[in-house]
Amino acid sequence: MNQQPADELKRSLGFWSAISIVVGTIIGSGIFFKQGSVLDSAGTSTLAIAAWVFGGIITLTGGLTVAEIGAQMPYTGGLYVYIENIYGRLLGFLAGWMQVIVYGPAIIASVAGFMSILMANFFGLGAAWRIPLAVITVVAIGIMNLFENKVGAIFSIITTAGKMIPIAAIIIFGLFWGHQDAFGQTVTEVHQATGGFGVAVLATLFGYDGWILIANLGGEMKNPQKLLPKAIIFGITAVLIIYTLITVGILKFLPANTIHRLGENATAYLAVKAFGAVGGKLLSAGIIISMMGTLNGKMITFPRIVYAMARRRDLPFSRYLAYITPKGKSPVVATIFIIVLATVMMCFFDPDHLSDLCVFTVYCFYLLAFFGIFILRRKNKGPRPFSTPLYPLVPIVAIAGGIFVLVSEVLNDPAGVLLFVGIVIVGLPILYIVKRMDQRRMKW
């Protein structure tokens, strides 16, 4: 196993901070904005609910698999570190490059784009305000994370607690006051051309995405060997239950055809119909806070990948990107770098399209990690800090789910897949140039 440079970041994150980052990072825009697209692709309410459950099971098996790997590699960098230690520098670099250049900024841009829709409606502003509102929010949350990691962690705990209010309201109102049959409804205006069950599951995985980001903070946890598996498993399980209940609650309150017609605005419509104008505003505010918490979790974690890569001198301008503040030990330049890339993507890409391509791109490397557990088991015969239960069944299910995701997206959007894969592959000549420049400096 390759040696990692000693982390200089503070080990100050405890159990509740870690759990709140997992839940807070996962529960954001997906569950509130993807109900329409999941239902459209599934075709019926029963299959839509099944898609959310199936997506959760895929995510949980992936989390259980990665938890064993992460417990053996408790370093800052997460997936980047895992892939490098298992497969070598080249694939490790591509895993980091993918998260830094494509996945991280794109997922932040997507969540901010969805959130700005609600914010514009909340403040009575036109569609022209969506991008400015998204940019302002990302910059504000990014600035907050320029300070010590405790600041972002505290904000994560507050927003995670706050987001439970709109979630509980939707679940309780839908289940107890909804008059629709959540199961068996058919979307009459939609045909199979919208994608089918596979694409529906793919859409749910955006809602579940973010669970692995806590692994990027391995070097900042107090006891990562024990804490990381607990945070991943408890966090994903809680989200799976919450997402299923929210979906059933929404389908019990709104007819399937209404959800199809409203699309991204279905949850906002439900809030007003269920709780009146004032109550709807309050519920919308709670959902906005929920998304801010998600953005905060991503803004805490992605700069750590930049920092980890820069310390290995894998990126251009690594000397600057690896800078951390002397007192708070925060990767300031790396955070600014992520903010800039996310802002560019917000200006040029649709959030719904971004979300699907993000999931595809990251699952290419999730698959490598899932296969990696078999390699590690063969190499390391001794005791492990955490062992995946029901091995090898759980990793096999995770691998099958990952293949299912990749095939579904390739069939659904081959052009978008080629674009994002192309951006990842561009990292190879970048790495070559950076290493050549390093060699010249050493000769001088």
Side-chain angles (χ1 to χ4, degrees), residues 40-291:
D40 285 355
S41 295
T44 71
S45 60
T46 303
L47 286 178
I49 295 168
W52 285 102
V53 173
F54 191 58
I57 292 171
I58 290 175
T59 304
L60 183 57
T61 57
L64 287 166
T65 304
V66 169
E68 179 176 321
I69 299 170
Q72 297 176 66
M73 306 177 196
Y75 313 116
T76 298
L79 190 62
Y80 161 58
V81 173
Y82 306 160
I83 298 297
E84 178 179 316
N85 279 327
I86 297 170
Y87 296 102
R89 291 276 284 138
L90 193 61
L91 282 175
F93 167 79
L94 285 178
W97 174 263
M98 172 273 300
Q99 293 181 85
V100 166
I101 302 297
V102 180
Y103 173 65
I107 207 79
I108 289 171
S110 182
V111 173
F114 283 129
M115 185 193 62
S116 67
I117 296 171
L118 264 186
M119 291 181 75
N121 292 338
F122 185 85
F123 293 110
L125 302 172
W129 278 91
R130 288 181 181 175
I131 291 177
L133 285 170
V135 172
I136 290 168
T137 305
V138 167
V139 170
I141 292 174
I143 290 172
M144 181 181 65
N145 279 285
L146 297 181
F147 301 100
E148 187 178 347
N149 61 18
K150 278 186 178 179
V151 177
I154 290 169
F155 185 74
S156 180
I157 292 172
I158 293 170
T159 53
T160 299
K163 71 175 58 184
M164 293 304 158
I165 297 172
I167 287 169
I170 291 172
I171 292 172
I172 292 170
F173 196 90
L175 292 180
F176 293 100
W177 280 274
H179 300 294
Q180 304 296 321
D181 185 354
F183 298 90
Q185 296 184 56
T186 302
V187 186
T188 56
E189 299 174 32
V190 180
H191 304 287
Q192 283 303 107
T194 53
F197 185 72
V199 177
V201 174
L202 187 69
T204 70
L205 290 173
F206 170 70
Y208 284 106
D209 194 50
W211 58 271
I212 202 172
L213 297 186
I214 188 63
N216 297 330
L217 302 173
E220 297 173 72
M221 291 181 186
K222 293 176 181 177
N223 188 358
Q225 286 90 350
K226 291 184 178 180
L227 185 56
L228 182 61
K230 285 182 181 178
I232 290 176
I233 294 164
F234 288 141
I236 294 174
T237 302
V239 172
L240 194 163
I241 295 168
I242 289 168
Y243 277 12
T244 303
L245 291 174
I246 288 177
T247 303
V248 173
I250 290 174
L251 285 166
K252 274 188 69 66
F253 189 81
L254 295 178
N257 284 320
T258 301
I259 296 172
H260 157 69
R261 178 173 53 82
L262 293 169
E264 295 172 345
N265 295 310
T267 305
Y269 175 83
L270 182 150
V272 175
K273 290 288 289 184
F275 303 102
V278 175
K281 284 278 187 184
L282 291 174
L283 199 61
S284 294
I287 296 172
I288 291 169
I289 291 170
S290 166
M291 295 185 193

Side-chain angles (χ1 to χ4, degrees), residues 224-405:
Q225 286 90 350
K226 291 184 178 180
L227 185 56
L228 182 61
K230 285 182 181 178
I232 290 176
I233 294 164
F234 288 141
I236 294 174
T237 302
V239 172
L240 194 163
I241 295 168
I242 289 168
Y243 277 12
T244 303
L245 291 174
I246 288 177
T247 303
V248 173
I250 290 174
L251 285 166
K252 274 188 69 66
F253 189 81
L254 295 178
N257 284 320
T258 301
I259 296 172
H260 157 69
R261 178 173 53 82
L262 293 169
E264 295 172 345
N265 295 310
T267 305
Y269 175 83
L270 182 150
V272 175
K273 290 288 289 184
F275 303 102
V278 175
K281 284 278 187 184
L282 291 174
L283 199 61
S284 294
I287 296 172
I288 291 169
I289 291 170
S290 166
M291 295 185 193
M292 285 183 177
T294 302
L295 284 174
N296 178 65
K298 297 181 189 309
M299 201 62 74
I300 290 174
T301 53
F302 283 118
R304 269 66 182 176
I305 307 172
V306 179
Y307 163 81
M309 294 187 72
R311 292 198 67 211
R312 299 293 299 275
R313 305 191 69 83
D314 280 352
L315 296 173
F317 310 107
S318 286
R319 184 160 63 95
Y320 303 103
L321 292 170
Y323 173 77
I324 57 175
T325 53
K327 185 178 179 181
K329 302 296 184 183
S330 175
V332 172
V333 180
T335 302
I336 295 171
F337 175 72
I338 290 293
I339 292 171
V340 171
L341 286 182
T343 301
V344 171
M345 290 197 177
M346 277 185 270
C347 295
F348 292 101
F349 290 95
D350 168 71
D352 200 45
H353 191 213
L354 268 180
S355 66
D356 287 344
L357 291 173
C358 284
V359 171
F360 170 84
T361 309
V362 79
Y363 258 88
C364 292
F365 292 90
Y366 281 173
L367 260 181
L368 289 177
F370 300 157
F371 277 111
I373 193 174
F374 297 102
I375 298 172
L376 282 181
R377 289 252 180 155
R378 197 165 57 246
K379 286 182 179 178
N380 307 327
K381 301 293 185 180
R384 292 173 291 273
F386 174 81
S387 295
T388 300
L390 299 177
Y391 178 91
L393 178 61
V394 166
I396 289 172
V397 173
I399 290 167
I403 293 171
F404 174 78
V405 168

